[in-house]
Amino acid sequence: MIAVGIDVSKSKSTVAILDSDGTILASPFNMAHTQEEMNALVNHLKAYNQPLTILMEYTGHYHYPVLKKLQDEGLPVCLINPYQMKKYGDVEIHKVKTDKKDAVRIATYALEKSYLLVPYSPMDQKYEDLKFLSRQYSQRISSVTRVKVQLINLLDQTMPGITRILDLRSRDPERCALLLFIKRFHSFDEIRRIGKHRFLSAYETLMKKTPDRFAPKKGLVIYESACNSITTRGSDPYIWTAQDQCVDMLAAAQNAADETIHQMQEIAETIPEYKVLRAMNGVGERLGPIILAEIGDVRRFHSARALNSYAGNDAPPYESGQFESRNRHISKRGSSALRKACFEVMQALKLQKPQDDPIYQFMLKKEQEGKPYNVAKMAGVNKFLRIYYARAMELYK
């Protein structure tokens, strides 16, 4: 058997090749991610005419070109978690960190643990597309949050306290009362300048464009706040421009996020287990596709415990001699995105209070036992994933 270790980085990789007895057959060498150099590697590996174990780490998206090329050539490729390789290297007394040394270390691991390694098999393209869109959605929502913070900082200088009167949490930026208000009036100084009657008339007309039924009644409150507030840059046209830009960026980012989640919903509708997921209390049109994207094909997990471990929601046992730990924390060694989405489902259950839901009742039981609220919710996540696994697996039996 030939063990091949590939240490992947951006645009290039370092390759080490070992024989079955640990002999280095090829000194570690660099390989650019180009057709010419990767074809040379493929031809070199095929020339051995022996079984190959090729191992590389998950490295974001950097390993995709190497993985795709080797799989297209019919070569088996195994992937390993970088943290697992790091812990494997920790046994060395004199630690050396170079690309060539890392490639040899990966090849050595492939040689020693070949019986544990399973060649990578890409999930169905639908799951891959869902996971990609889930990452894009997360980035868009992060952009929305950042722009909101910037906008609030600007409003503290032009309209202090306005966010306590008009809500910024609207999911439709084109009809959000606060965003329309900012675009129209810019600052409290401008409101004082146009006068009470003109402001209330213009405000009433503007609020007809928003679905917020309480917004039209807040005109007088806003005018009184404008008269009593001290603005620091209320008459500065530069900050007005900055506010308008933030409003436009917020609308663009929110619309992009909405479009992404809509695409995810269309893909999820074609996957059998999505109906199982949507039938569970607390899972809506937004959380459903996200959870499905993060879990992927449920059949790749051998048990519900493995699914919880993938989410980082497992509490590994710890015992030594006569000691056995009774107060263990979740490992958090897993998909933080999946853990977060499931936690939001638990929050939704706490709001909905479905009395016939076993997960909600389980959380209440844990709270009655004296568990902190967040601990009870994570226990609910554990039960949620177990129930989903059992129901989803029934579809494929």
Side-chain angles (χ1 to χ4, degrees):
M1 187 194 77
I2 303 297
V4 182
I6 304 178
D7 182 59
V8 182
S9 59
K10 185 176 182 179
S11 301
K12 75 176 185 68
S13 297
T14 304
V15 183
I17 305 175
L18 304 182
D19 200 352
S20 57
D21 59 358
T23 305
I24 297 179
L25 297 179
S27 298
F29 58 91
N30 292 330
M31 173 194 67
H33 296 173
T34 62
Q35 288 287 354
E36 180 182 359
E37 297 200 14
M38 293 192 68
N39 282 333
L41 173 65
V42 170
N43 294 333
H44 183 73
L45 294 179
K46 289 183 176 180
Y48 285 112
N49 290 323
Q50 293 188 46
L52 295 171
T53 300
I54 304 174
L55 182 63
M56 66 177 72
E57 297 174 329
Y58 289 99
T59 52
H61 60 276
Y62 294 152
H63 69 284
Y64 286 158
V66 182
L67 177 62
K68 182 177 185 302
K69 178 63 178 177
L70 295 178
Q71 284 197 316
D72 289 346
E73 295 293 337
L75 298 177
V77 184
C78 304
L79 298 180
I80 188 171
N81 191 305
Y83 181 77
Q84 191 172 351
M85 278 307 308
K86 179 181 181 301
K87 301 303 289 185
Y88 176 74
D90 285 346
V91 300
E92 299 176 359
I93 297 176
H94 300 288
K95 297 180 182 178
V96 180
K97 180 69 177 73
T98 65
D99 290 345
K100 292 183 178 180
K101 183 65 176 178
D102 288 345
V104 173
R105 185 180 295 118
I106 294 172
T108 304
Y109 185 94
L111 194 62
E112 293 182 4
K113 309 290 185 179
S114 59
Y115 62 95
L116 293 176
L117 299 176
V118 178
Y120 175 81
S121 59
M123 292 186 294
D124 187 271
Q125 189 61 40
K126 293 179 181 179
Y127 295 108
E128 290 285 355
D129 292 342
L130 267 180
K131 191 167 187 178
F132 171 77
L133 289 174
S134 178
R135 296 294 181 268
Q136 297 303 307
Y137 177 76
S138 178
Q139 293 175 9
R140 301 298 177 270
I141 291 300
S142 296
S143 298
V144 169
T145 303
R146 286 195 299 271
V147 175
K148 281 184 177 181
V149 171
Q150 295 172 7
L151 180 59
I152 291 173
N153 289 338
L154 295 175
L155 292 176
D156 287 341
Q157 303 175 64
T158 59
M159 303 180 186
I162 188 63
T163 54
R164 291 195 295 268
I165 303 174
L166 295 177
D167 199 352
L168 187 57
R169 292 180 296 178
S170 173
R171 296 297 299 274
D172 185 359
E174 306 295 338
R175 304 176 65 195
C176 175
L178 179 57
L179 299 184
L180 292 173
F181 181 83
I182 295 168
K183 278 277 197 176
R184 172 63 179 82
F185 296 107
H186 299 297
S187 73
F188 282 164
D189 286 12
E190 183 69 8
I191 293 174
R192 289 195 296 266
R193 186 189 66 80
I194 65 178
K196 178 178 181 180
H197 296 292
R198 286 181 57 193
F199 165 71
L200 292 178
S201 176
Y203 177 81
E204 183 179 356
T205 302
L206 181 67
M207 289 301 107
K208 292 180 181 178
K209 300 178 182 179
T210 177
D212 189 345
R213 57 179 179 171
F214 299 108
K217 303 176 183 179
K218 298 177 180 178
L220 188 58
V221 176
I222 294 174
Y223 184 78
E224 291 176 352
S225 180
C227 294
N228 294 326
S229 298
I230 299 176
T231 58
T232 55
R233 304 194 64 163
S235 58
D236 188 346
Y238 300 117
I239 200 169
W240 294 2
T241 302
Q243 285 181 170
D244 290 345
Q245 290 173 345
C246 281
V247 170
D248 293 338
M249 288 190 294
L250 180 58
Q254 185 63 62
N255 289 335
D258 293 340
E259 176 62 24
T260 302
I261 203 69
H262 178 68
Q263 292 172 339
M264 293 178 65
Q265 290 167 356
E266 290 182 341
I267 297 174
E269 291 287 353
T270 64
I271 298 176
E273 56 262 39
Y274 180 64
K275 294 181 179 179
V276 172
L277 195 57
R278 287 286 283 112
M280 301 179 72
N281 288 319
V283 180
E285 294 182 350
R286 184 183 67 88
L287 287 176
I290 292 175
I291 293 174
L292 185 60
E294 297 303 326
I295 292 177
D297 190 347
V298 71
R299 291 170 291 182
R300 65 196 178 108
F301 299 101
H302 61 78
S303 67
R305 178 177 294 181
L307 177 56
N308 266 290
S309 179
Y310 175 75
N313 192 40
D314 59 330
Y318 183 83
E319 63 179 16
S320 178
Q322 301 299 318
F323 172 78
E324 181 178 355
S325 176
R326 299 285 184 181
N327 185 19
R328 294 173 287 123
H329 302 283
I330 61 174
S331 66
K332 295 187 179 180
R333 294 286 182 190
S335 173
S336 59
L338 175 58
R339 203 161 57 247
K340 177 178 180 294
C342 292
F343 187 82
E344 291 181 19
V345 172
M346 299 304 108
Q347 291 178 311
L349 288 176
K350 292 292 289 184
L351 291 174
Q352 297 172 0
K353 296 180 174 59
Q355 298 301 318
D356 59 342
D357 186 80
I359 301 171
Y360 177 69
Q361 293 297 329
F362 183 70
M363 281 194 293
L364 291 183
K365 176 185 175 183
K366 290 300 176 182
E367 291 175 3
Q368 292 168 0
E369 292 175 357
K371 301 292 185 183
Y373 290 127
N374 286 344
V375 173
K377 286 178 181 177
M378 294 314 298
V381 169
N382 189 297
K383 192 172 185 68
F384 172 83
L385 291 175
R386 288 176 178 274
I387 292 176
Y388 168 71
Y389 179 84
R391 293 177 180 176
M393 289 300 291
E394 288 180 357
L395 298 175
Y396 297 103
K397 289 182 179 179

